Amino acid sequence: MVRLSKRMSELNLCSRREAEQLILNKKVYVRNELIEPVLGQKVDSSECDIKIMNSSDGGFIAANELSDDDSYWESFRGQVVMMHKPIGYLSGQPERTGVNKNCYETCASLLNTLNFFDDSGNSSKHRRPSPTKRSELQETVWNRKYMKFNGPRRTLSGYAPAGRLDINSTGLIIFTRSGVIAKRLLASNDSKQAVEKEYLVRVAPLDPNCSMPNDLSVLLRRGNMLRGEKRPLQPLVEASWLNESQIRFVMKEGRKRQIRRMCRELLGLRVLALKRVRIGDIRLSALPEGHWRPLGKNEIQSLIGK
């Protein structure tokens, strides 16, 4: 037996916290029976007949019907955004001022109307629209019902990064206020739900008198250890040379500064530039550096794995 909220999270119906709130609001049914609004309810660990009452039409959303239920995906509208993180910005949670104690600005401070990149490929920052046009753009592109902007810079509020990039790295980073999406993206490295991430890394030898290693198979082996770590690394999904100075990494693990440390300790290389270009099926593509856009229905479906 497991807690009902945990089982709902495993079925990707919602996060545990969201499940507990739904239970208290009398919205959860197991085998067509309303669950009493008491926390700590338990169900069989293999139970799949769990439904949530849809507040909009009174219907039900079941775990095995999510991929065909538009109302379920509608609930994610505006909940997930992707950003092309620039160098010099922290990807961690911002403080109230948007600046951390070391005076580095966080990526969350870039989630404003000026840095939005719309579906037609137009960036409001590059076009420098007038205040009137910017207001019109805000009304048409972001529905205020789903996205809340605060402060004089009109910055999105309530979004947290699902994964990180260090301050000297650039590339794709995803922000969300959905527990389901965060759980999927932050899944344990050895979990079946762990999401692939792809990086392009420009390197140079630590010793100028040494040549680049041709063989990268050491990264695909089990049992590699990094200094200060107690657990061995998971083998990379793929590691290959793109040219004489750039390596492509595909991996599911994500330890602190892992790629930089692997290059130094296992390959004798120093990282000159690191860019993340893909998370799961979500690609950075033409999104300009420092800009962001919401994810669409198909992209969210690919993240959740439905």
Side-chain angles (χ1 to χ4, degrees):
M1 302 289 284
V2 297
R3 289 177 70 108
L4 175 56
S5 58
K6 181 178 186 294
R7 185 58 184 153
M8 291 173 69
S9 175
E10 291 173 345
L11 293 172
N12 285 329
L13 279 167
C14 54
S15 68
R16 291 194 194 187
R17 183 175 297 179
E18 291 165 342
E20 291 173 353
Q21 191 60 51
L22 288 166
I23 293 170
L24 292 177
N25 291 339
K26 299 184 179 180
K27 299 288 186 182
V28 179
Y29 289 73
V30 176
R31 303 196 176 201
N32 296 322
E33 291 188 7
L34 176 65
I35 293 298
E36 292 295 320
V38 178
L39 297 182
Q41 301 272 15
K42 292 192 174 183
V43 295
D44 190 272
S45 59
S46 61
E47 181 63 66
C48 292
D49 190 3
I50 302 174
K51 299 179 181 179
I52 299 174
M53 179 183 287
N54 190 342
S55 301
S56 61
D57 58 12
F60 292 92
I61 299 172
N64 60 357
E65 299 170 350
L66 297 185
S67 59
D68 300 320
D69 195 296
D70 288 336
S71 61
Y72 176 77
W73 299 112
E74 188 71 15
S75 69
F76 286 103
R77 184 188 292 275
Q79 299 289 312
V80 194
V81 302
M82 61 180 283
M83 173 187 286
H84 187 164
K85 175 193 173 297
I87 292 174
Y89 283 79
L90 295 176
S91 55
Q93 284 280 34
E95 297 183 2
R96 291 182 179 180
T97 59
V99 180
N100 77 326
K101 61 184 179 181
N102 294 320
C103 297
Y104 289 113
E105 206 165 0
T106 63
C107 289
S109 65
L110 298 175
L111 292 174
N112 55 53
T113 55
L114 287 177
N115 295 322
F116 178 80
F117 192 73
D118 68 33
D119 293 334
S120 64
N122 297 318
S123 164
S124 56
K125 185 174 182 179
H126 289 170
R127 287 181 292 137
R128 294 291 182 187
S130 67
T132 302
K133 289 184 178 179
R134 191 177 305 154
S135 177
E136 292 172 356
L137 181 65
Q138 180 180 325
E139 289 293 339
T140 56
V141 178
W142 309 290
N143 189 324
R144 287 182 178 175
K145 177 181 178 181
Y146 305 109
M147 303 183 110
K148 182 180 179 183
F149 294 85
N150 285 336
R153 296 178 65 179
R154 308 301 294 160
T155 302
L156 278 178
S157 63
Y159 290 76
R164 299 190 177 191
L165 286 171
D166 66 58
I167 194 169
N168 295 316
S169 300
T170 184
L172 178 59
I173 187 168
I174 292 178
F175 287 82
T176 183
R177 55 185 183 185
S178 163
V180 172
I181 300 294
K183 173 179 175 289
R184 182 75 171 93
L185 292 175
L186 300 175
S188 167
N189 300 324
D190 55 358
S191 165
K192 292 182 179 179
Q193 289 191 330
V195 177
E196 281 189 3
K197 302 170 184 72
E198 181 179 340
Y199 302 82
L200 302 182
V201 185
R202 190 159 54 87
V203 296
L206 285 173
D207 184 349
N209 298 319
C210 294
S211 59
M212 296 282 202
N214 292 322
D215 186 10
L216 301 177
S217 61
V218 64
L219 301 174
L220 307 179
R221 299 174 190 161
R222 292 187 176 277
N224 289 323
M225 295 288 292
L226 295 177
R227 293 190 192 118
E229 296 280 353
K230 296 182 179 179
R231 293 183 299 107
L233 296 172
Q234 294 289 328
L236 269 62
V237 177
E238 185 178 342
S240 58
W241 286 99
L242 293 180
N243 54 50
E244 60 183 14
S245 64
Q246 191 173 53
I247 305 176
R248 174 177 175 263
F249 291 90
V250 180
M251 54 198 290
K252 293 186 176 181
E253 203 165 20
R255 304 188 191 184
K256 184 176 182 180
R257 301 177 70 84
Q258 180 176 343
I259 290 179
R260 296 179 186 274
R261 295 162 66 197
M262 286 192 309
C263 287
R264 175 176 289 274
E265 298 177 28
L266 301 180
L267 300 175
L269 301 173
R270 60 190 176 95
V271 173
L272 304 178
L274 189 155
K275 183 177 186 178
R276 182 160 63 198
V277 296
R278 176 173 66 87
I279 298 177
D281 292 332
I282 311 302
R283 293 189 174 276
L284 191 61
S285 299
L287 185 64
E289 191 170 296
H291 290 70
W292 65 275
R293 68 169 178 84
L295 294 189
K297 173 182 172 180
N298 292 337
E299 292 174 316
I300 293 174
Q301 284 178 312
S302 72
L303 282 181
I304 296 182
K306 291 292 180 181

